[in-house]
Amino acid sequence: MFERVKNEVPGTEWETGWTLATSIKILATLAALMHDLGKANAGFQKKLLSSSKTQPDPYRHEWISLRLFEAMIDGCTNDQQWLERLADFSTFASQNPNWPDRLHNDHQHKSKGLAHMPPLAQVVAWLIATHHRLPFDGSDFTKMDKLRQKSKFIRLDLKRFYKRLSPTNGWVYSEKSHNARTDTEDFWRFSAQASESRLWQKAVARWAEKALNHPPLMQLPEENNPLLMHLSRLCLMVGDHNYSSLQANDKRRVTSDLKLKQTLVANTCRTTHKPKQALDEHLLGVAQFTASFAHLLPRFTDELPRLEDLSTFARPTPIERFQWQNKAWNLVKKHRKPARQQGFFGVNLASTGCGKTLGNARIMAALADPETGLRFTCALGLRVLTLQTGQALRDKLNLDDTALAILVGGAASRTLFEIQQEESKAEEKQQETNDYGSESEEELIRELVDYDHCALDQETLGTIIHDPKARQLLYAPIVSCTVDHIIGATETLRGGRHIIPMLRLLTSDLVLDEPDDFDQNDLPALSRLVFMAGMLGSNVLLSSATLTPDLIMGLFTAYQSGRTLWQKNQGETNDGIYCAWIDEFHQHMEACASRQAFEKRHQAFIKKRVKQLQALPPRRIGDILPTSLPKAPEGEKINNRALADIIINASQSLHRQYHEPCPTTGKTASVGLVRLANINPMFGLAQALYESTLPDQVQIHLCCYHARQLLILRNTLERKLDRILNRNDHHSLFDHREIQEAVATSPKQHHLFIVLATSVAEVGRDHDYDWAIAEPSSMRSIIQLAGRVWRHRPERVAEHPNILILNNNIKALQASNNGAAFYNPGFESEAHPLESHACSELIPEEQLSCIDAIPRIVRPEPLQPTRRLADLEHRVMADLLNSPTPNYVNVYWQPESAAQASVHMQRISPFRYSATQETEYVAQPDADDDSGIRFRYREKAWEAPYGEESVNSDVTPTSFTPLQTAIRPWLVTELPDALAELAEQLDDDNQTLLAIRFAFVSLENRKNWRFHPWFGFWPG
């Protein structure tokens, strides 16, 4: 345990290395003094003092504040002039009492932009107008594909941005409110101005003088500087949030001009609805808080808690297959000082099972300054992976939740995960995992991080760390989180949810784990995040065995562009970013001054890796499974009975090659994965499987695994699969009760345990199957699936195919399909079509004879994107992330682009976009219903847990009795049984409330859903 005495903040030395620190403080504070001037309008003041709820303002106060600032400096042609005017504003106002008449009224006149303003005034105006929401063009964002091609947005530079800036609908203007109200003109009328306050005039004069007397600010080049703009905006927003939250008796409240105290109000108390802060007081207070926070900003990196003892990370591992970690540690440590100075971009391509989780932590520890300690964020795409990664690091390094925070959405998922962890620990208490960190029983790290002795405490930071998750995200030295927690740094459209993610990037390094798992539609947002990490001085490590060259190159370019801005604003030249390539065979690190140098070194590293991979014996051999189907029955899209027969026959063939005999009975068993590309076809296929006939000595045990299931039932299934499919330490299938009982209840000799699943089975689960059958969607998914076959048994070598791939996917097999087939998921589109949809033509023999990462990590030349499934993926990634001309991805970091001054790119390429709306339903046991289950809207269930309403007409429990017994359900749990078990685990007998917490599902907004515990939910 270490203890830190709360540090006092030093003064001028804080600008060391931060050449823009004072400039940020001055610009943010000047904007703070102006940011709410527009609240003085008659319409806003009437709204504040009205007891009735009114419609939104037709013009928001921040836009009117901008127009008042514009009027205030009207006629000034350079920055010197307008700052001199503000430095003696009392004289200007007395000589020009009607200066507010110069206000440009957008209600009466065509909107004009800000091109006429001097450069620094434009930045202040942007800060004023964006202190709640970033601007965007008033386009129809439902037509994202068309907007992505429009050059007027892609080629928009900052000069034209300011020229075009106007109060667009949905940003600072409400067309609906404007049309509905009759008092719009009141929002452009004033009975008084906050600028009449003597105290305000004194403050604005002081800060204008500071600006005039600070040469680095006055001599700023007239070029785009997004770091200056976004850090200034962050300081302003923190000041506004924190001062607005102060109560009436808070000693930090500042004095208001008595003449204006009762005249102009900034805000009201939420409980009493009475005036809370006078407008001039609010402007002065926000300015004071903004300046204080800006003064702190350069010290955040030094003051936030760090993991100081790095000796555990430095300790070499003796285990052979983890030796690469030791070499990576030594290599990165050797280059640590210049890498921290010039930036670090690493790529960890080590294969599955080589200990990348801890290896990544050791790489970041080697990069950390040993004098200050370690801070890094591990961001992942999936909630379950985040939980697993965070828990693995906690266990291996013996860290508590103050040193390593695990942040995921969904309290119910986290609770169920923690229950599973406790069960696993009880079962394996005496068993050492064959991994680094568990080879000794001594405690590795026993270091408690004390947040309370940090100089950046609750009083200093205020409301931005009021939320416990925000507090953890900022303070914890190590954070394992879903990308959603950190990507707000670039993707927040309104409000202050970007503040903590930005501060996290500013003060810690970033590991992106399995970034290639993201859908290609999410990669523009991921690129923006990597750019922001570079711009805020963070170091970045990518980690995945299947990273494509274009994904790596695209993210490197984004990072390089961001890091260049950081170095420039630090007054440093960049002689090249230190780049590392690491796998279990080789480790290399060097400074790359250009994209070309990086690409050349990357290709050389991949060439060596491929040579090593090709020397290994094949562990996964694939083959194409013919899928010629007869015509579908009337009313069906596909002949499921015929497809079921194909899958059953193929499963038997695979079982004959890869099964395990029972040592006592001689019966055989294997567990195979049948992975479908989409969820909707699963239910018809599952029911067809149950209706199929089998040879006399064959028994199939079937379970359905996908996301459209009650959370508690999905979790129960996953817990069983996690245990049964853990084949480490040579676990036998027959060790498990679920296998023993299923085999014992059937006299048949051969038992095939089939998991019929969607992609949830191939990403995020540490499962080891004996064989697999895949419906193809992309080469990426096939390689991911292959990683689940013999995952825990590295000694096994394949002599026959253990993975079969349907020759055609279900979209291609549907009679009505004449277009693309490999999409959602997949990479095919109208812009990137395939000539054939038969895998026998799309996947060459060399990619089947040994299924590994090579088709992903090597981009062949020339590409054949219309004839090869893997080449299609490379072409799509190249066009998206490495376009030679500006596109909606790379424009974000073009030097003169205005993309970062708005959220237009975020609106046309949003992160985790879904066009469908969903509703949460909860399933509660109900003895009075024939099905025993009553579905309710979850929102209403929270409001009235014991309510009697039902939506069983929309979500209908369905009965199902198979005609055959040769295929039986496996690992299925009825809802009452699952709730009873959970009640015992949580020591909570209130199953009504437990059902609301855990027995829920989110479904698309449509009527006629059906439910059965064997299958989950499917459209009726």
Side-chain angles (χ1 to χ4, degrees):
M1 176 175 179
F2 75 93
E3 203 170 303
R4 301 176 95 172
V5 177
K6 181 176 176 179
N7 298 315
E8 296 300 325
V9 175
T12 55
E13 69 193 47
W14 277 31
E15 281 209 47
T16 304
W18 273 66
T19 59
L20 284 182
T22 300
S23 297
I24 290 169
K25 185 196 299 188
I26 293 169
L27 286 172
T29 307
L30 282 170
L33 288 165
M34 311 284 174
H35 79 288
D36 278 354
L37 285 173
K39 285 185 175 181
N41 73 72
F44 191 90
Q45 291 296 307
K46 179 183 176 183
K47 177 185 75 171
L48 281 183
L49 301 175
S50 172
S51 58
S52 59
K53 200 170 184 179
T54 60
Q55 290 181 337
D57 299 352
Y59 289 89
R60 286 181 57 86
H61 68 272
E62 55 264 40
W63 183 257
I64 299 172
S65 299
L66 180 154
R67 288 303 192 202
L68 282 170
F69 171 63
E70 177 188 38
M72 194 179 286
I73 65 170
D74 183 58
C76 298
T77 58
N78 59 53
D79 289 315
Q80 181 91 13
Q81 289 180 0
W82 73 265
L83 285 166
E84 287 177 347
R85 178 178 291 180
L86 293 187
D88 190 18
F89 188 76
S90 57
T91 300
F92 169 79
S94 63
Q95 294 174 356
N96 300 273
N98 296 323
W99 69 264
D101 293 345
R102 305 175 189 179
L103 180 79
H104 181 91
N105 186 328
D106 294 271
H107 177 51
Q108 294 181 349
H109 307 288
K110 183 180 179 181
S111 290
K112 65 173 182 176
L114 309 179
H116 59 287
M117 281 187 169
L120 289 181
Q122 288 178 331
V123 175
V124 172
W126 179 83
L127 291 170
I128 293 167
T130 65
H131 76 268
H132 287 300
R133 306 172 176 183
L134 283 164
F136 51 85
D137 181 82
S139 303
D140 179 2
F141 288 100
T142 61
K143 300 176 180 177
M144 288 190 292
D145 287 340
K146 290 185 178 179
L147 292 175
R148 290 172 182 173
Q149 312 305 322
K150 286 200 172 184
S151 61
K152 76 171 186 176
F153 303 122
I154 292 174
R155 299 185 182 274
L156 183 66
D157 61 28
L158 206 58
K159 287 185 178 179
R160 282 185 289 170
F161 167 79
Y162 282 129
K163 184 178 180 180
R164 295 179 184 179
L165 192 64
S166 62
T168 53
N169 186 39
W171 174 41
V172 290
Y173 169 66
S174 170
E175 183 179 14
K176 181 180 178 181
S177 181
H178 182 192
N179 294 336
R181 299 180 70 138
T182 58
D183 61 347
T184 296
E185 195 57 39
D186 286 351
F187 288 82
W188 296 95
R189 283 205 298 266
F190 304 86
S191 59
Q193 295 287 349
S195 57
E196 296 169 16
S197 164
R198 296 295 180 187
L199 295 170
W200 182 90
Q201 292 175 1
K202 184 179 178 181
V204 82
R206 175 178 172 235
W207 285 97
E209 287 284 357
K210 283 180 178 286
L212 290 165
N213 292 319
H214 188 61
L217 176 63
M218 298 304 295
Q219 296 167 14
L220 272 178
E222 290 186 28
E223 60 184 30
N224 189 9
N225 193 331
L227 182 64
L228 172 75
M229 293 171 69
H230 280 281
L231 288 181
S232 299
R233 180 173 180 260
L234 183 146
C235 293
L236 168 58
M237 293 182 72
V238 170
D240 192 17
H241 276 242
N242 287 345
Y243 195 82
S244 298
S245 70
L246 298 184
Q247 300 303 312
N249 59 353
D250 197 298
K251 294 179 181 179
R252 292 171 291 173
R253 293 278 294 268
V254 300
T255 305
S256 171
D257 192 316
L258 293 175
K259 184 179 68 173
L260 293 173
K261 190 170 185 178
Q262 303 301 323
T263 308
L264 296 176
V265 178
N267 46 43
T268 56
C269 178
R270 290 190 176 186
T271 53
T272 65
H273 304 292
K274 292 182 178 179
K276 183 179 177 182
Q277 295 173 349
L279 183 53
D280 68 322
E281 178 215 335
H282 178 74
L283 296 172
L284 292 166
V286 171
Q288 186 181 100
F289 274 39
T290 298
S292 296
F293 188 83
H295 186 65
L296 285 171
L297 200 58
R299 295 293 297 176
F300 264 73
T301 300
D302 296 330
E303 293 302 325
L304 286 170
R306 289 176 172 268
L307 209 58
E308 296 177 354
D309 181 6
L310 303 181
S311 59
T312 299
F313 298 94
R315 186 181 305 150
T317 173
I319 299 173
E320 181 64 31
R321 64 191 174 108
F322 300 148
Q323 291 292 311
W324 67 271
Q325 296 179 6
N326 301 337
K327 296 174 184 177
W329 165 273
N330 293 330
L331 178 69
V332 175
K333 183 184 176 185
K334 176 183 175 183
H335 296 286
R336 183 189 70 240
K337 286 187 178 180
R340 291 196 63 78
Q341 185 74 18
Q342 295 172 215
F344 171 86
F345 184 87
V347 182
N348 187 350
L349 289 156
S351 301
T352 298
C354 289
K356 282 202 297 292
T357 296
L358 191 57
N360 293 337
R362 295 189 69 195
I363 291 167
M364 303 319 285
L367 190 63
D369 185 345
E371 298 297 318
T372 56
L374 174 65
R375 276 179 68 86
F376 77 88
T377 307
C378 184
L380 304 98
L382 292 179
R383 185 180 295 165
V384 65
L385 276 178
T386 302
L387 291 165
Q388 291 169 359
T389 299
Q391 194 61 51
L393 287 175
R394 275 190 186 170
D395 292 344
K396 292 168 184 171
L397 300 176
N398 200 20
L399 299 173
D400 70 356
D401 59 2
T402 63
L404 195 157
I406 303 173
L407 301 178
V408 295
S413 295
R414 178 160 187 153
T415 300
L416 294 172
F417 176 81
E418 289 169 350
I419 291 171
Q420 183 177 358
Q421 288 297 301
E422 289 302 316
E423 289 179 350
S424 298
K425 286 178 181 178
E427 290 175 5
E428 301 176 10
K429 193 172 182 182
Q430 303 301 321
Q431 195 175 70
E432 288 186 355
T433 57
N434 187 26
D435 204 340
Y436 175 85
S438 57
E439 61 218 39
S440 169
E441 291 186 2
E442 73 177 283
E443 294 183 346
L444 300 179
I445 295 179
R446 181 58 80 181
E447 183 171 351
L448 302 179
V449 180
D450 189 351
Y451 299 167
D452 296 329
H453 290 84
C454 176
L456 305 172
D457 57 11
Q458 179 79 51
E459 182 175 331
T460 307
L461 299 181
T463 57
I464 66 170
I465 57 168
H466 180 71
D467 177 73
K469 278 193 176 180
R471 183 178 169 87
Q472 281 190 303
L473 182 57
L474 182 61
Y475 279 148
I478 303 174
V479 170
S480 175
C481 66
T482 49
V483 169
D484 310 67
H485 283 82
I486 201 79
I487 208 165
T490 57
E491 304 308 295
T492 301
L493 305 184
R494 60 175 65 187
R497 292 185 179 275
H498 67 293
I499 293 172
I500 293 298
M502 277 188 70
L503 292 175
R504 182 74 200 181
L505 289 177
L506 184 69
T507 61
S508 75
D509 294 332
L510 177 64
V511 176
L512 284 176
D513 204 344
E514 307 288 348
D516 52 331
D517 282 348
F518 285 98
D519 183 271
Q520 62 264 35
N521 294 315
D522 288 330
L523 293 180
L526 204 66
S527 302
R528 293 190 286 265
L529 174 65
V530 171
F531 168 82
M532 181 66 79
M535 190 176 77
L536 293 175
S538 181
N539 300 302
V540 171
L541 175 67
L542 310 181
S543 177
S544 173
T546 54
L547 292 167
T548 65
D550 282 290
L551 177 58
I552 294 171
M553 284 302 306
L555 294 183
F556 171 75
T557 306
Y559 179 78
Q560 182 187 44
S561 303
R563 187 74 193 199
T564 299
L565 281 168
W566 172 259
Q567 302 287 140
K568 188 174 182 179
N569 282 299
Q570 296 294 96
E572 301 171 355
T573 57
N574 196 325
D575 297 324
I577 292 166
Y578 269 77
C579 301
W581 290 264
I582 294 164
D583 67 8
E584 68 270 38
F585 308 117
H586 307 103
Q587 302 78 38
H588 181 81
M589 189 168 176
E590 68 175 60
C592 294
S594 68
R595 173 188 165 91
Q596 292 73 21
F598 179 89
E599 186 171 24
K600 183 178 179 181
R601 172 47 60 189
H602 179 72
Q603 288 175 349
F605 186 86
I606 291 299
K607 187 175 181 180
K608 291 167 68 177
R609 176 163 179 77
V610 167
K611 189 175 180 180
Q612 291 282 355
L613 291 175
Q614 288 176 335
L616 298 174
R619 301 193 62 243
R620 289 102 180 184
I621 297 176
D623 200 2
I624 303 299
L625 184 60
T627 50
S628 178
L629 300 181
K631 183 179 178 181
E634 188 175 347
E636 295 185 21
K637 294 181 179 180
I638 194 172
N639 193 316
N640 279 308
R641 292 294 296 273
L643 182 59
D645 288 341
I646 290 173
I647 288 173
I648 287 172
N649 291 333
S651 299
Q652 292 179 74
S653 175
L654 288 165
H655 176 85
R656 281 192 290 270
Q657 293 291 342
Y658 302 108
H659 62 259
E660 179 182 342
C662 176
T664 56
T665 66
K667 292 181 178 181
T668 66
S670 67
V671 183
L673 172 63
V674 177
R675 200 270 289 129
L676 299 185
N678 296 99
I679 190 169
N680 282 342
M682 177 182 290
F683 309 101
L685 178 59
Q687 292 180 30
L689 285 169
Y690 275 113
E691 304 299 330
S692 301
T693 58
L694 298 177
D696 290 343
Q697 289 303 311
V698 175
Q699 179 77 57
I700 288 180
H701 310 269
L702 179 68
C703 75
C704 294
Y705 176 32
H706 54 83
R708 203 187 286 159
Q709 176 62 284
L710 293 172
L711 177 65
I712 188 173
L713 297 186
R714 175 180 170 181
N715 178 262
T716 303
L717 172 61
E718 286 177 338
R719 283 162 49 205
K720 294 175 181 177
L721 288 174
D722 288 351
R723 176 168 43 78
I724 295 167
L725 297 176
N726 178 358
R727 317 291 275 275
N728 287 299
D729 301 321
H730 306 286
H731 284 308
S732 169
L733 288 177
F734 293 96
D735 291 342
H736 300 285
R737 176 177 54 82
E738 293 85 353
I739 299 287
Q740 296 169 0
E741 291 179 354
V743 171
T745 55
S746 169
K748 297 187 177 182
Q749 177 68 20
H750 305 294
H751 293 260
L752 286 68
F753 295 85
I754 295 179
V755 179
L756 181 63
T758 59
S759 60
V760 298
E762 71 189 30
V763 178
R765 306 314 303 188
D766 189 18
H767 293 167
D768 179 321
Y769 291 91
D770 294 302
W771 48 266
I773 298 172
E775 179 198 0
S777 59
S778 65
M779 201 64 207
R780 177 180 71 182
S781 70
I782 292 170
I783 294 169
Q784 286 280 9
L785 174 79
R788 269 67 198 164
V789 175
W790 299 354
R791 183 176 179 84
H792 303 151
R793 295 171 282 179
E795 75 286 352
R796 298 202 62 172
V797 175
E799 296 181 359
H800 308 280
N802 50 7
I803 297 171
L804 298 180
I805 301 164
L806 300 184
N807 193 33
N808 303 96
N809 66 12
I810 290 176
K811 286 191 181 80
L813 291 170
Q814 290 172 353
S816 60
N817 182 63
N818 294 312
F822 291 94
Y823 67 95
N824 292 338
F827 293 83
E828 190 182 11
S829 64
E830 186 177 331
H832 295 94
L834 287 165
E835 293 177 8
S836 168
H837 292 140
C839 287
S840 56
E841 299 177 26
L842 295 173
I843 306 176
E845 176 59 33
E846 63 267 21
Q847 293 179 0
L848 290 171
S849 61
C850 181
I851 300 179
D852 56 21
I854 292 176
R856 289 276 292 168
I857 65 176
V858 175
R859 183 181 60 200
E861 295 294 344
L863 284 174
Q864 301 181 66
T866 63
R867 302 176 63 191
R868 293 284 183 266
L869 197 58
D871 290 19
L872 170 66
E873 299 175 26
H874 287 296
R875 169 53 60 207
V876 170
M877 298 296 279
D879 291 351
L880 182 68
L881 297 175
N882 289 296
S883 172
T885 57
N887 68 357
Y888 67 97
V889 180
N890 63 35
V891 71
Y892 195 74
W893 50 81
Q894 298 297 322
E896 293 306 314
S897 171
Q900 293 160 56
S902 72
V903 287
H904 186 79
M905 296 306 151
Q906 288 88 332
R907 294 292 297 267
I908 64 175
S909 56
F911 184 64
R912 297 202 196 278
Y913 174 72
S914 174
T916 60
Q917 299 294 314
E918 294 188 341
T919 298
E920 283 190 341
Y921 297 91
V922 62
Q924 292 181 312
D926 186 349
D928 295 332
D929 191 279
D930 292 340
S931 67
I933 293 177
R934 179 161 49 95
F935 284 100
R936 303 174 64 196
Y937 292 119
R938 194 174 185 221
E939 184 178 359
K940 290 187 177 181
W942 277 121
E943 294 170 357
Y946 303 98
E948 297 294 326
E949 83 280 359
S950 168
V951 291
N952 280 19
S953 57
D954 297 338
V955 184
T956 307
T958 305
S959 60
F960 176 75
T961 304
L963 299 178
Q964 306 289 339
T965 60
I967 298 184
R968 296 177 177 176
W970 182 54
L971 301 184
V972 298
T973 306
E974 297 294 332
L975 178 60
D977 297 333
L979 285 171
E981 181 185 12
L982 185 61
E984 183 177 348
Q985 291 167 330
L986 295 178
D987 193 22
D988 184 347
D989 292 333
N990 192 328
Q991 292 194 19
T992 298
L993 293 181
L994 284 177
I996 299 172
R997 288 177 63 192
F998 300 102
F1000 67 91
V1001 68
S1002 187
L1003 300 173
E1004 293 177 21
N1005 288 350
R1006 53 164 292 163
K1007 304 293 184 182
N1008 198 20
W1009 284 102
R1010 296 181 181 274
F1011 169 75
H1012 190 281
W1014 295 4
F1015 307 121
F1017 296 84
W1018 70 98

